[in-house]
Amino acid sequence: MQDTYETNRLLINRFALTDVTDVADMFEDQELNLMSGLRLPETRPEKLMGLTMLVKTQNSLIYILRNKKSGNAVGLVVFYRMYLLNYVYSEFECEIGFVLSRDSWQQGLMSEALRQLISAYFEETDFVGIYAGAHSGNVRSQALLKRMGFQAKKVPRYLSEDQFDEQLEYFYLSESMLND
């Protein structure tokens, strides 16, 4: 996928080492930390180290969302490769995760970012399906996924269940569903 995308209100760039401090600042909000699923450490030095390691993850695509006007980091979108039962990466399905800073909620920014990135993901990769997990109590994320066309779905048996969190509700979007 490309390193940079642009929407009406956002600059969406591939996450880089230069972004670590901005993202760490965003994750000072412990509720975001918990709901994101990243489960970053609570101390600042450990959080910076965790985010630095995230930048170096080769089997994921991570994008930072920045407000065009202010340049401030407002969110992250991550495409994770999914494991098959034998711990080989799936070549056809991935999982998406996303988080938006609390002061950017209820503005449609994540919808704007996901429309751009999901469309590009299907156009620019060979993947045909995307899973997304939202915490059971996170009704905003669940509603967003439904608006984006995702449908509630259990994770299929051929994918490793070790990586799935029992507190999450899972949703699925295929390339054909996106075009409907």
Side-chain angles (χ1 to χ4, degrees):
M1 285 184 60
Q2 298 177 37
D3 287 341
T4 303
Y5 297 93
E6 192 171 327
T7 68
N8 290 335
R9 299 177 291 166
L10 296 170
L11 291 174
I12 305 170
N13 294 304
R14 183 95 40 115
F15 187 50
L17 285 173
T18 54
D19 299 317
V20 167
T21 303
D22 289 343
V23 174
D25 290 345
M26 189 173 66
F27 279 104
E28 289 301 316
D29 182 334
Q30 289 305 312
E31 185 179 345
L32 282 185
N33 193 4
L34 176 67
M35 296 301 252
S36 73
L38 288 175
R39 292 184 178 82
L40 294 170
E42 290 186 23
T43 68
R44 181 82 176 177
E46 290 174 333
K47 193 174 290 175
L48 291 169
M49 184 181 299
L51 288 167
T52 300
M53 290 171 52
L54 186 63
V55 170
K56 297 177 181 185
T57 304
Q58 293 186 9
N59 292 308
S60 298
L61 291 171
I62 306 162
Y63 288 91
I64 184 168
L65 313 178
R66 292 190 177 277
N67 181 296
K68 261 187 180 177
K69 288 183 182 176
S70 69
N72 293 336
V74 297
L76 279 181
V77 174
V78 183
F79 292 92
Y80 300 95
R81 297 283 302 274
M82 296 180 80
Y83 288 109
L84 300 171
L85 289 176
N86 59 1
Y87 293 99
V88 172
Y89 286 114
S90 171
E91 297 295 323
F92 304 106
E93 296 160 318
C94 72
E95 184 175 357
I96 191 170
F98 52 89
V99 63
L100 193 63
S101 62
R102 198 182 299 260
D103 60 346
S104 298
W105 289 1
Q106 302 294 318
Q107 299 175 34
L109 292 174
M110 189 54 73
S111 295
E112 193 172 308
L114 289 179
R115 267 193 294 281
Q116 175 69 48
L117 289 172
I118 289 171
S119 179
Y121 198 76
F122 282 132
E123 288 175 16
E124 299 173 30
T125 72
D126 293 331
F127 286 80
V128 296
I130 300 174
Y131 283 90
H135 282 285
S136 301
N138 190 343
V139 294
R140 284 188 177 121
S141 289
Q142 291 179 33
L144 170 61
L145 290 168
K146 290 175 185 174
R147 280 194 310 274
M148 298 300 302
F150 283 79
Q151 295 178 359
K153 184 175 182 179
K154 293 200 181 285
V155 177
R157 291 180 186 219
Y158 63 86
L159 293 170
S160 173
E161 294 177 17
D162 293 343
Q163 68 190 31
F164 299 106
D165 188 327
E166 293 175 5
Q167 297 177 343
L168 298 180
E169 302 290 329
Y170 282 93
F171 297 83
Y172 182 76
L173 178 69
S174 69
E175 186 173 16
S176 63
M177 291 163 62
L178 182 68
N179 297 325
D180 287 346

